[in-house]
Amino acid sequence: MDETRSEGMAPPSVELAVPGADEIVINMGPQHPSTHGVLRVKLRLDGERIDGSECIIGYLHRGVEKIAEHRSYQQFAPYVDRMDYVAAVSNGLGYCEAVEKLLGAEAPPRARVVRTILTELQRIASHLLWLGTHALDIGALTPIFYCLREREEILKIFEKYCGARLTTHAFRIGGLQYETYDGFEHDVKRFCDDFGTKVDEYEQLLTGNRIWVGRCKGVGVLTAKQAIALGVTGPPLRASGVKWDLRKAMPYAAYDRYDFIIPTGTNGDTYDRYLVRMEEMRQSRRICLQAVENIPTGPIMAKVGKVLKPPPGEVYHSIEAPKGEIGYYVVSDGTTQPYRVRVRPPSFINLQAFDTMVRGHLVADVVAIIGTLDIVLGEVDR
Amino acid sequence: MQAVLQFLNANMWPLIDALVIVGVFPLMAGYVVLLERKVMADMQARLGPMRVGPHGLLQPLADALKLMIKEDIIPESADRIIFWMAPVLSVTAGMLAFAAIPIGPGFLIANMNVGLLFILAVSSMGIFGIVLGGWASNSHYSLLGALRSSAQLVSYEVAVGMAMVSGLLLAGTLSMKDIVAAQAEKGMWFAFVAPVGFVIYLIGSVAETNRAPFDLPEAESELVAGYMTEYSGFRWALYFLAEYSNMIVVASVATTLFLGGWMRPFASVHAFDFLDFVPVLFMLGVTGYCLYRIPKQTGWDQKFILAIFAGICFVIAAALGMVFAPPLAFLKVPVLGAFWFIAKVMGYVYVFLWVRFTFPRYRFDQLMRLGWHFLIPLSIVNVMGVATALVLHRQAGWSSWVAFPVLLVVTILLAFWLVRAGERRDQQAARSAA
Amino acid sequence: MVKRFRDRFGEAVREAWLDRKQSILVVDAAKLRAVCEFARDSEKFDMLVDLTAVDWPKREKRFEVVLQLYSFAKNERLRVKAQVADGEPVPSVIFVWPAAGWLERECFDMFGIRFDGHPGLKRILLPDEWQGHPLRKDYDILQQDEAWVRENMGIESGQ
């Protein structure tokens, strides 16, 4: 049968081909300081060049989608935080909005704006952690401490708001449970004011640095065509030149009110992904500053009732999480428990591009490429 | 017995110097480790070791004790003799180099007229320790790491050696003592006369000691774990000690060759004689700061240790101050010189630490490319430039204020050209590979 | 747009409707790949966003393979579904969008749906030797646990 290949691009190889005479297969085991979780990577090497790779995942599979079928809609909400545990608030936003769509409800304006602020703060926090660990993998020992110091401020705001720093369960289906605390606007504004200079400091430390550029430019190139064909979303897609962000294309929460740009790159290499994420941090700060000026008053919870029984049907709703597009496909059969919840994990699909990106590079680039994809194994495996 | 006493009598000063140096330098290496941790913490917005002794001052002793009582693990299939010997070789090479380092005009163990060559040769022996350690571990990742490390060291030896040659041309002698004397005579540290040589030496010495940004062979987050992986406990401590001793040796050589050795800044300008008081005042300042911090320590044991430390600093300050008394004036240059020497070595080491925590790591091929394509051509040009400037100065009678700056400009221009040529070559390679 | 699909594929397009403002198209499983190629080439749905399945054990064709497609040019989403019975293979769309590689493997892992033409269909999230397909509605985790304990530890589970 004639097979039409998509623009001459071969599908990613599933299994590592048997090594040739001069090749060896080495294993970066599940426990490794730089694989950001339990990821196993098998590399087929010719000398120091990588000819092929295979990612073996599933070490953190917890059966979240199966659990969803045995919990009520509200009971399942804390579980979604645990997937991308670095950016729990975005996961929660996606899920709550998906179920709200299923119910036909809409969160009130005040809730939407507060949700936007918290999600953008979470985006900054997630990118800060990414920057720290990525720099650490490449050898710069200092940025991680500065990044964690800023992230600490954001986590303090989360703790004051909902009691938890990491797995926040900040939003409820229909809006928010907690009113913003006294001083919320002040804290957010103070953080954003400080953060502007800090981002510039990080840029100064890394962006022009010859060694950093040498380690990142040209490493892990993903062209726009490859990225779209592989389903890559988020900063990697934007760094490859595709100007697309769900916050502008299909606005959700309160994003249509605010003014921000979408940074894109040109080459789709590690350096561009770095620049895109740095600029995204700045844009998130901009959104927060605009939002916090003008939080509308009013109720924080829509009238959805205590027991949620959405009419039968299905919905797919996705948002722009820090890692990419996180989507929720929720199927309801009319009972209080969802019939099927499918989470479209950005890290899982971005990780698929790893094989394409790593071929032809040296072993020392593997950690740089894993870092630049910004994967969280909790989301890859669910 | 008579022969022994005679020997001791004849070689009294070198023996005393040897005891002091062998006793003090390992301790200094240990405290350099603490210094590194404190400087690292400071750059990373945190405090560093604080608990073991006030402000972590007893940390090196605690670490040494811990490493000594740790279980000695030897991999089953490792070659026992070589496994034992490799770290010993590294440490010996590092320590032996201390023999020729002059801390003061009379303050050195062996006054050889080929002192610099001796140091260069002996510290190159340390590479054996690395390769044998990697091989004896019987793990092919360790061996690969060791081979990479030794390849890096050997490559940068060339550039470092050439940089040293440019300094030697200015000094005219290999004897460490006479090199410093030559700088005193010239009235200017060689770092200012041949700055390119100094910078090449700086970069090369960072690579020589396997320090970041050239520490890929021993970095933890890389795949190949490095030659030290199978070593634990005291053996690992020996390797670690060897690395820090190497740092001090390399810093000492740089200080002697480029930074004026034991001379104080502006040694030949008598208007600056007040700088002679700086050592005493500095040590008194340190003592005063320690005394100031004593009440803020928690617990009487911390206070006690800090008081002892303050006492030691005061004794040093007194020793430094005593030389101003007329009967001891002949000791002025050696004693104050020792202070300046150690201060310069510490400054150089601080630059090492600073660089480590600022820059990311070079990938191995980029590292080798930097050494071979950039540093070696630049150092060759530097040597030729210094030689030319010297000829122009001595033979053609050009003033040294003209000859050397001209050389500097020419070398810098060439450096830029080399860098641009390298980038052009990289672009071409990328284009042909794409 | 549905009209264009119907024109091209006729009978293969079973149903088409909007649920909560999202377009859904149900097609025959056998024609799935052809429909996808048409969607990608003519209708400009260039990204496969997600590929999954839902288990409706009471239906005759119990599995519903669901593909979410997105078009950058039109800023539109489309959901394509195909219904398959247990054991019936589905043509793989990996050569239409390489993104399907791991997504189809996950579908196979969780539901046991085989994809014809996939170069290496093996389990992705669960260990290779796992028995059963967890996301099926009749999957019994307790039974798995008891079987494993009995086999590996020689005792009764007691759960």
Side-chain angles (χ1 to χ4, degrees):
Chain A
M1 182 151 74
D2 191 41
E3 293 164 348
T4 46
R5 306 197 160 216
S6 71
E7 266 84 43
M9 198 184 121
S13 69
V14 172
E15 240 181 75
L16 212 52
V18 174
D22 292 326
E23 300 172 331
I24 56 168
V25 173
I26 53 174
N27 180 49
M28 266 175 86
Q31 298 132 313
H32 192 273
S34 310
T35 51
H36 297 268
V38 274
L39 170 68
R40 183 173 163 210
V41 179
K42 272 206 245 177
L43 301 163
R44 198 178 80 235
L45 302 179
D46 178 12
E48 269 220 30
R49 298 220 161 254
I50 298 174
D51 276 343
S53 71
E54 184 187 346
C55 290
I56 297 162
I57 56 175
Y59 290 94
L60 200 49
H61 179 65
R62 293 157 289 178
V64 154
E65 296 178 1
K66 183 80 178 173
I67 291 175
E69 297 168 12
H70 301 279
R71 300 279 179 283
S72 74
Y73 288 91
Q74 296 105 317
Q75 279 177 329
F76 183 61
Y79 284 87
V80 299
D81 291 340
R82 272 96 177 139
M83 291 189 307
D84 177 4
Y85 37 77
V86 164
V89 171
S90 336
N91 298 13
L93 179 65
Y95 177 70
C96 290
E97 289 201 337
V99 178
E100 281 161 17
K101 225 183 224 182
L102 203 55
L103 286 170
E106 208 180 275
R110 182 180 171 81
R112 301 232 297 273
V113 171
V114 174
R115 278 178 171 181
T116 310
I117 297 175
L118 289 173
T119 312
E120 287 309 304
L121 284 177
Q122 181 68 275
R123 190 183 310 273
I124 298 177
S126 170
H127 283 337
L128 280 172
L129 187 63
W130 161 80
L131 180 64
T133 49
H134 189 218
L136 189 64
D137 289 339
I138 294 194
L141 301 168
T142 356
I144 185 167
F145 290 94
Y146 301 153
C147 293
L148 288 180
R149 179 187 59 188
E150 307 322 320
R151 190 178 140 91
E152 197 57 33
E153 299 302 316
I154 299 181
L155 296 181
K156 276 189 198 152
I157 294 179
F158 285 162
E159 193 182 9
K160 282 198 218 173
Y161 175 71
C162 56
R165 288 154 53 103
L166 198 66
T167 48
T168 41
H169 192 204
F171 308 140
R172 301 288 182 276
I173 297 171
L176 305 169
Q177 178 168 7
Y178 302 114
E179 192 48 83
T180 56
Y181 61 91
D182 280 335
F184 177 72
E185 290 92 343
H186 172 257
D187 276 346
V188 172
K189 216 178 291 194
R190 190 187 53 186
F191 169 77
C192 290
D193 288 334
D194 283 338
F195 189 62
T197 44
K198 294 287 165 38
V199 172
D200 293 332
E201 258 178 41
Y202 307 149
E203 287 246 43
Q204 227 179 5
L205 196 55
L206 292 173
T207 305
N209 188 323
R210 221 185 163 70
I211 305 180
W212 180 261
V213 171
R215 284 301 292 267
C216 291
K217 241 196 192 335
V219 169
V221 177
L222 197 64
T223 62
K225 214 179 279 187
Q226 284 172 328
I228 295 178
L230 283 167
V232 169
T233 52
L237 180 64
R238 288 194 275 284
S240 298
V242 181
K243 198 183 181 84
W244 184 69
D245 186 325
L246 271 172
R247 293 176 288 171
K248 289 265 195 210
M250 300 182 178
Y252 51 95
Y255 285 102
D256 41 4
R257 294 197 207 183
Y258 305 120
D259 198 22
F260 60 99
I261 62 166
I262 305 172
T264 47
T266 37
N267 302 323
D269 59 11
T270 304
Y271 191 65
D272 276 353
R273 283 186 280 270
Y274 158 78
L275 289 176
V276 164
R277 288 192 179 104
M278 294 299 279
E279 190 56 38
E280 275 188 10
M281 281 202 270
R282 290 201 173 95
Q283 295 303 314
S284 292
R285 170 182 170 262
R286 196 172 153 192
I287 297 176
C288 277
L289 280 173
Q290 289 171 54
V292 98
E293 288 299 319
N294 209 352
I295 304 182
T297 50
I300 51 170
M301 190 74 171
K303 299 223 179 329
V304 286
K306 278 224 159 21
V307 174
L308 295 177
K309 266 203 204 176
E314 55 190 52
V315 79
Y316 176 78
H317 178 70
S318 60
I319 65 164
E320 186 76 28
K323 310 277 183 306
E325 173 187 334
I326 189 167
Y328 289 86
Y329 175 60
V330 187
V331 179
S332 153
D333 57 353
T335 59
T336 53
Q337 298 185 331
Y339 190 75
R340 168 102 171 91
V341 173
R342 153 79 181 168
V343 181
R344 187 252 184 220
S347 302
F348 180 77
I349 298 178
N350 288 2
L351 188 56
Q352 211 182 172
F354 177 74
D355 188 38
T356 317
M357 288 161 76
V358 93
R359 286 184 187 220
H361 286 300
L362 304 178
V363 171
D365 293 324
V366 169
V367 278
I369 296 176
I370 295 180
T372 188
L373 279 174
D374 197 11
I375 52 170
V376 170
L377 266 299
E379 190 166 62
V380 171
D381 293 340
R382 282 153 290 132
Chain B
M1 191 61 198
Q2 191 73 317
V4 171
L5 278 175
Q6 259 183 346
F7 174 79
L8 284 175
N9 212 1
N11 299 307
M12 187 173 65
W13 280 115
L15 272 175
I16 293 179
D17 293 338
L19 280 171
V20 167
I21 290 180
V22 170
V24 166
F25 269 98
L27 195 66
M28 203 158 106
Y31 274 90
V32 168
V33 177
L34 175 66
L35 182 71
E36 173 176 34
R37 287 173 70 173
K38 286 299 230 183
V39 167
M40 160 161 41
D42 184 46
M43 291 190 184
Q44 292 169 345
R46 54 189 183 92
L47 285 174
M50 291 288 280
R51 298 191 62 93
V52 189
H55 290 278
L57 282 171
L58 294 182
Q59 184 75 39
L61 302 177
D63 282 339
L65 194 63
K66 175 207 82 168
L67 287 167
M68 275 195 267
I69 61 180
K70 245 190 172 166
E71 179 186 353
D72 188 23
I73 303 176
I74 305 183
E76 212 175 292
S77 41
D79 189 322
R80 291 193 157 238
I81 300 178
I82 300 188
F83 195 80
W84 168 84
M85 201 173 69
V88 170
L89 202 57
S90 274
V91 171
T92 312
M95 293 286 165
L96 204 55
F98 283 132
I101 292 178
I103 305 178
F107 202 162
L108 78 169
I109 304 177
N111 186 13
M112 292 175 273
N113 57 352
V114 287
L116 197 57
L117 191 60
F118 172 78
I119 294 179
L120 197 56
V122 159
S123 46
S124 304
M125 293 240 302
I127 302 181
F128 272 117
I130 293 177
V131 174
L132 288 175
W135 185 81
S137 302
N138 206 35
S139 144
H140 54 247
Y141 292 146
S142 297
L143 183 60
L144 280 175
L147 290 177
R148 271 203 206 168
S149 189
S150 60
Q152 173 188 325
L153 257 53
V154 162
S155 318
Y156 281 84
E157 287 276 1
V158 182
V160 159
M162 290 284 199
M164 283 207 268
V165 165
S166 71
L168 286 174
L169 283 173
L170 293 167
T173 165
L174 279 170
S175 156
M176 299 290 267
K177 235 171 74 165
D178 296 337
I179 293 177
V180 181
Q183 287 183 74
E185 200 180 44
K186 203 152 188 108
M188 196 185 266
W189 294 352
F190 288 159
F192 298 114
V193 180
V196 181
F198 178 57
V199 168
I200 296 176
Y201 187 82
L202 184 60
I203 301 176
S205 58
V206 174
E208 277 292 298
T209 44
N210 261 334
R211 298 278 301 175
F214 302 103
D215 65 346
L216 194 73
E218 54 182 50
E220 289 165 359
S221 56
E222 301 299 332
L223 194 56
V224 176
Y227 61 95
M228 278 199 241
T229 345
E230 302 293 334
Y231 287 86
S232 64
F234 196 58
R235 294 179 205 281
W236 179 81
L238 286 179
Y239 264 130
F240 207 54
L241 193 63
E243 179 175 325
Y244 284 87
S245 304
N246 257 332
M247 256 169 65
I248 299 180
V249 165
V250 144
S252 309
V253 168
T255 309
T256 311
L257 193 54
F258 290 106
L259 292 176
W262 62 77
M263 298 192 303
R264 67 136 211 270
F266 300 106
S268 44
V269 181
H270 289 286
F272 284 93
D273 272 346
F274 66 88
L275 283 176
D276 274 336
F277 292 103
V278 168
V280 188
L281 293 174
F282 179 76
M283 289 314 288
L284 280 178
V286 172
T287 315
Y289 184 69
C290 293
L291 289 172
Y292 166 69
R293 296 295 298 187
I294 284 183
K296 304 203 185 195
Q297 297 302 312
T298 52
W300 67 269
D301 51 343
Q302 306 271 53
K303 293 196 173 81
F304 184 63
I305 296 173
L306 195 55
I308 293 190
F309 189 74
I312 296 176
C313 290
F314 186 71
V315 164
I316 298 178
L320 287 171
M322 270 197 316
V323 298
F324 288 101
L328 293 171
F330 71 97
L331 277 179
K332 199 172 185 201
V333 175
V335 171
L336 291 179
F339 174 86
W340 287 114
F341 184 85
I342 295 182
K344 289 177 200 176
V345 166
M346 283 298 135
Y348 197 85
V349 166
Y350 180 78
V351 172
F352 268 37
L353 304 181
W354 193 6
V355 163
R356 180 179 183 200
F357 303 120
T358 313
F359 294 125
R361 211 172 279 133
Y362 264 117
R363 207 172 59 207
F364 194 66
D365 62 317
Q366 293 169 334
L367 197 157
M368 296 302 267
R369 188 174 306 151
L370 182 73
W372 289 97
H373 288 274
F374 180 66
L375 279 185
I376 291 183
L378 188 62
S379 58
I380 295 176
V381 167
N382 180 46
V383 166
M384 295 199 296
V386 169
T388 316
L390 271 177
V391 162
L392 288 174
H393 170 56
R394 287 186 191 151
Q395 248 78 321
W398 286 28
S399 153
S400 56
W401 290 99
V402 174
F404 289 104
V406 165
L407 135 82
L408 177 66
V409 165
V410 167
T411 324
I412 290 182
L413 284 175
L414 195 95
F416 276 114
W417 182 83
L418 268 175
V419 165
R420 204 154 302 146
E423 282 170 5
R424 238 179 289 128
R425 185 183 40 235
D426 287 341
Q427 278 173 2
Q428 273 178 351
R431 234 176 284 134
S432 64
Chain C
M1 181 184 70
V2 175
K3 192 169 173 312
R4 290 197 288 277
F5 274 99
R6 280 232 154 88
D7 286 341
R8 176 78 199 263
F9 293 102
E11 268 307 299
V13 177
R14 294 292 173 82
E15 297 165 53
W17 77 97
L18 279 177
D19 185 355
R20 295 167 173 93
K21 290 191 244 165
Q22 301 184 333
S23 344
I24 307 177
L25 204 65
V26 181
V27 298
D28 259 348
K31 287 280 186 195
L32 182 64
R33 185 161 160 184
V35 171
C36 289
E37 281 170 4
F38 178 71
R40 185 196 68 191
D41 298 327
S42 315
E43 296 295 327
K44 301 279 177 267
F45 283 100
D46 33 9
M47 188 192 270
L48 173 69
V49 171
D50 196 16
L51 192 160
T52 183
V54 188
D55 183 18
W56 299 98
K58 300 228 177 69
R59 293 188 192 170
E60 191 194 304
K61 288 197 170 231
R62 85 189 268 200
F63 295 121
E64 199 171 64
V65 176
V66 179
L67 282 77
Q68 315 276 357
L69 307 178
Y70 178 73
S71 161
F72 283 101
K74 302 194 281 191
N75 194 15
E76 235 179 72
R77 290 197 193 274
L78 177 67
R79 199 173 308 156
V80 176
K81 298 201 209 184
Q83 290 173 335
V84 285
D86 195 359
E88 193 185 317
V90 177
S92 162
V93 296
I94 191 171
F95 291 107
V96 184
W97 298 285
W102 280 14
L103 290 166
E104 286 178 350
R105 273 176 72 183
E106 192 189 337
C107 229
F108 165 68
D109 194 3
M110 294 288 130
F111 289 95
I113 302 174
R114 298 208 70 88
F115 289 87
D116 271 343
H118 193 281
L121 197 68
K122 58 174 193 167
R123 287 188 183 269
I124 186 168
L125 291 178
L126 296 172
D128 288 337
E129 57 275 2
W130 195 269
Q131 302 296 323
H133 298 278
L135 277 175
R136 293 187 177 203
K137 292 289 179 184
D138 53 0
Y139 179 80
D140 189 358
I141 187 82
L142 279 181
Q143 192 187 46
Q144 290 272 326
D145 181 57
E146 283 164 18
W148 189 91
V149 169
R150 207 177 297 130
E151 191 186 305
N152 290 294
M153 294 165 65
I155 52 169
E156 287 302 313
S157 167
Q159 280 249 31

